[in-house]
Amino acid sequence: MTALFLPRALLLLIVGSLLACSTPRKDSVTIADKAAHLPSGMVADTAPLPSPIVRAQSRWIPVRWTELPGLAEDDIHQALQAWQHSCENPPAALAALCPDIRRLSLASPPQIWHWLQTHMQPYRVEDRSGQSSGMLTAYYEPFFTARRQPDAQFRYPLYAPPASLGSRKPWFTRQQIDTLPQVQSALAGREIAWLDDPVKVLILHIQGSGRLLITEPDGYQHQIRAAFAATNDHPYRSVGKWLLDRNLVRDATWPGISAWTQANPQRVQEMLWSNPRYVFFKEETLDEVSSHFGPKGAQGVPLTPERSIAVDRASIPYGTPVWLFSSGPTQALSRLVLAQDTGSAIVGAVRADYFMGWGEEAGEVAGRTKQDLRLWALWPKGARP
């Protein structure tokens, strides 16, 4: 295998998305600094608070709106678009609010904040031991050039699910998929597209979807989405951690991983095989509307850049509006987001993966995002999850 010279955004992904194993850095801005005042439309509230809500992996503690940091700084209209998407497949407790959510798109910010305070109760999300601090990472849709037919350069396939996928659980590992003749036979004809680098394939597997600039056999070029369809049901293993555990790099930064892949092309396949999890895709058309949004998340609705998060469903139900606060070396965030996705590495009460969007710039930020996190779930007054 020749040496790999990948765009900086790709290997930054290995830093941020693949290596989520160390303690997040403490916030440089505290919650007390940010929770200064309520936005116009809200008033101080002294009504009795409801009881806490206990879920399988979390505990929700009712709080005043004044506890939520940075409310007045958010462009609340931007969050409504993501919320409207959640209304395409809402949880039962939130479905009754959807007609209001659609009407609020024409309301002023004070009217929206007033509606939120009137109808929603904020709850601080904690784990079952009472820990309210967790970790934020980010993800995105890569954008790669691809071919419909293989050639000497574009020879690494993205597969649709094989017909025999349900015949055994788990299905074959990544190494077995790459090497066993009977598995290759089962996948023959299931190729969606061909990429020019196996690490790009791995990036798509980790992100769960991607945008491809496809060149058809007749030379016609157009964009498609390779959207998540299924997995082989094997656990995810971090290749960044694999490198660190073997002292092959001192840290999984761009210089370290890039230098290692270039100096050790003969071991790149070994690195890739250290992650047995394999993802299968389905092709989707990108039209004028869908190109402005991300892929459908686990809730079954399109993801909105910088307004959708992946969560542990045992902690926060899909479709829940969540106030997110995170401040660290990459970006400071105080905003309303929607829990619309999940991921194999997103486990725990106060754990979120922030959807950045698509392309190299989004990948740059996503790959560097790993910082402290606080979450507050917003739930209809009087309703229980």
Side-chain angles (χ1 to χ4, degrees):
M1 181 182 296
T2 58
L4 302 173
F5 297 93
L6 296 176
R8 185 168 181 264
L10 297 187
L11 288 177
L12 279 170
L13 253 298
I14 298 175
V15 181
S17 298
L18 304 187
L19 187 58
C21 58
S22 64
T23 303
R25 179 174 169 175
K26 293 295 183 182
D27 289 335
S28 59
V29 181
T30 66
I31 289 178
D33 293 330
K34 301 286 285 185
H37 61 278
L38 294 172
S40 177
M42 285 187 167
V43 297
D45 183 16
T46 59
L49 292 172
S51 301
I53 296 173
V54 178
R55 294 186 53 81
Q57 295 295 330
S58 65
R59 184 174 61 182
W60 294 8
I61 307 301
V63 299
R64 305 291 181 192
W65 282 94
T66 50
E67 179 176 310
L68 278 59
L71 285 177
E73 300 172 11
D74 192 25
D75 184 346
I76 194 64
H77 271 117
Q78 293 181 1
L80 290 180
Q81 190 171 53
W83 199 335
Q84 288 171 14
H85 280 154
S86 277
C87 282
E88 297 171 16
N89 186 27
L94 289 162
L97 301 177
C98 286
D100 281 358
I101 295 303
R102 296 184 182 100
R103 287 192 292 267
L104 285 171
S105 63
L106 301 176
S108 67
Q111 289 171 325
I112 297 171
W113 287 115
H114 176 75
W115 183 92
L116 283 169
Q117 188 175 33
T118 301
H119 291 82
M120 309 298 287
Q121 170 63 47
Y123 293 84
R124 184 175 64 251
V125 180
E126 302 177 347
D127 66 21
R128 298 294 291 273
S129 70
Q131 176 60 250
S132 62
S133 178
M135 183 171 67
L136 180 73
T137 52
Y139 65 121
Y140 82 120
E141 269 196 305
F143 179 71
F144 297 138
T145 299
R147 297 285 187 272
R148 191 66 79 180
Q149 298 295 330
D151 58 28
Q153 181 181 4
F154 289 83
R155 53 195 178 93
Y156 303 100
L158 298 177
Y159 289 113
S164 61
L165 184 61
S167 64
R168 55 181 287 174
K169 286 187 176 292
W171 210 59
F172 299 94
T173 66
R174 180 179 298 274
Q175 183 174 358
Q176 291 169 331
I177 289 170
D178 286 345
T179 59
L180 294 181
Q182 67 268 34
V183 182
Q184 290 293 302
S185 177
L187 290 170
R190 309 297 292 176
E191 301 89 353
I192 291 175
W194 301 79
L195 302 185
D196 59 352
D197 195 298
V199 179
K200 291 180 181 179
V201 173
L202 180 68
I203 294 296
L204 281 170
H205 285 196
I206 293 164
Q207 298 304 304
S209 74
R211 299 182 179 212
L212 304 178
L213 178 61
I214 290 281
T215 300
E216 301 286 358
D218 62 2
Y220 172 67
Q221 288 191 325
H222 62 114
Q223 288 190 33
I224 67 167
R225 171 174 283 133
F228 176 89
T231 75
N232 61 350
D233 289 313
H234 281 273
Y236 165 78
R237 297 284 184 258
S238 166
V239 300
K241 187 174 185 299
W242 183 86
L243 290 168
L244 288 172
D245 288 347
R246 285 154 183 77
N247 295 317
L248 298 175
V249 295
R250 292 195 173 188
D251 53 44
T253 62
W254 158 253
I257 293 176
S258 177
W260 187 86
T261 58
Q262 294 178 48
N264 300 275
Q266 75 283 0
R267 296 197 65 183
V268 169
Q269 190 64 71
E270 181 186 0
M271 179 191 75
L272 300 178
W273 285 344
S274 70
N275 175 29
R277 186 176 180 86
Y278 201 94
V279 172
F280 301 99
F281 299 92
K282 56 186 176 182
E283 180 177 334
E284 293 182 352
T285 301
L286 282 173
D287 56 27
E288 184 63 28
V289 176
S290 62
S291 63
H292 289 86
F293 298 98
K296 289 184 178 180
Q299 189 191 356
V301 302
L303 302 179
T304 302
E306 301 184 58
R307 292 291 173 171
S308 298
I309 59 171
V311 296
D312 184 338
R313 192 180 183 185
S315 173
I316 300 174
Y318 296 148
T320 303
V322 177
W323 189 258
L324 179 151
F325 173 78
S326 181
S327 182
T330 301
Q331 55 185 327
L333 298 169
S334 296
R335 60 182 50 196
L336 184 62
V337 296
L338 276 294
Q340 296 175 326
D341 202 5
T342 193
S344 59
I346 311 305
V347 179
V350 191
R351 178 74 175 92
D353 213 15
Y354 183 67
F355 180 63
M356 282 300 306
W358 46 86
E360 187 170 353
E361 183 176 351
E364 288 272 356
V365 178
R368 289 183 278 110
T369 299
K370 184 182 178 185
Q371 54 197 46
D372 195 59
L373 174 68
R374 307 289 199 281
L375 297 174
W376 291 261
L378 307 186
W379 202 248
K381 290 185 176 180
R384 310 298 286 183

